[in-house]
Amino acid sequence: PDAIAELVAASPLPLNVMLAPGTGPSVHALGALGVRRISVGSLIAQAAYSTAASLAGRLAEGATPECAGIRPEGAFTVMS
């Protein structure tokens, strides 16, 4: 956190920080240090792929969509 605070203080531009699991301060702590942009890279996509694979596996094992954890509320509002 000290190095991040030093970079924020020294830069006339907003500081962007890449956040990785298990490393560094939280999003709120980074904001308090003056960080204005936080990137998570592909973490959100990886979480979505993992969830999709898990749900597909449950469905393939015979679970109903509801038992597999699939909730349709809002899922198709973009298409309507």
Side-chain angles (χ1 to χ4, degrees):
D2 292 337
I4 294 171
E6 288 177 29
L7 287 169
V8 167
S11 176
L13 302 172
L15 184 65
N16 186 53
V17 172
M18 179 73 141
L19 187 63
T23 64
S26 68
V27 169
H28 290 145
L30 288 169
L33 290 170
V35 173
R36 294 292 167 247
R37 296 169 55 187
I38 298 170
S39 300
V40 293
S42 65
L43 290 178
I44 294 172
Q46 289 175 20
Y49 298 145
S50 176
T51 299
S54 175
L55 292 175
R58 289 186 211 155
L59 292 172
E61 292 169 354
T64 64
E66 295 79 14
C67 291
I70 299 171
R71 301 288 181 257
E73 298 85 17
F76 299 104
T77 56
V78 175
M79 296 179 175
S80 60

